[in-house]
Amino acid sequence: MLVLGLLLLFLGWYIWKKEKINLIHKYHHTKISENNKKIYTEKIGKSYILIGIVMIVTGIINFITDTGYGWLIFVISFVIGFVIMFKAQQKYNNGLF
């Protein structure tokens, strides 16, 4: 979880701050206009960062405790991050593909 979380943190930061839209699969950004590129990469990057942070936190919670709270936090946050990505795709790419 830690390694994947760190990877998503790095990718999210790179997509958001460096506007590296090419790190997102080609069919997800084929219809993104140059005017919307900044806001699109910001939303996608932040959602990657959110999911990455939650993966790290989930790993720590699961390592320290023997409860399901880590996974509960992960599922809720993953859904939130996925919804943010889905809405950005719908709005700026006129659909998922």
Side-chain angles (χ1 to χ4, degrees):
M1 290 291 276
L2 179 65
V3 172
L4 290 175
L6 289 172
L7 178 65
L8 284 174
L9 274 173
F10 175 74
L11 286 173
W13 177 83
Y14 214 62
I15 290 169
W16 172 25
K17 292 296 186 178
K18 302 289 184 175
E19 295 181 16
K20 293 293 186 178
I21 201 166
N22 60 334
L23 293 176
I24 304 168
H25 200 281
K26 180 76 173 160
Y27 63 80
H28 284 306
H29 63 85
T30 55
K31 300 174 189 165
I32 305 294
S33 68
E34 198 59 40
N35 296 338
N36 292 329
K37 179 181 173 186
K38 182 176 178 73
I39 190 77
Y40 176 76
T41 55
E42 178 182 345
K43 288 182 185 271
I44 298 295
K46 284 181 178 180
S47 63
Y48 274 44
I49 289 170
L50 171 68
I51 294 170
I53 289 171
V54 171
M55 286 181 81
I56 293 168
V57 170
T58 299
I60 291 170
I61 290 172
N62 288 343
F63 183 73
I64 294 172
T65 68
D66 213 13
T67 64
Y69 292 124
W71 289 110
L72 179 65
I73 292 169
F74 175 76
V75 169
I76 292 168
S77 300
F78 184 84
V79 169
I80 291 169
F82 187 77
V83 167
I84 293 169
M85 283 191 275
F86 182 77
K87 286 185 175 187
Q89 282 298 113
Q90 290 289 343
K91 184 173 183 178
Y92 299 108
N93 197 42
N94 300 320
L96 290 179
F97 307 105

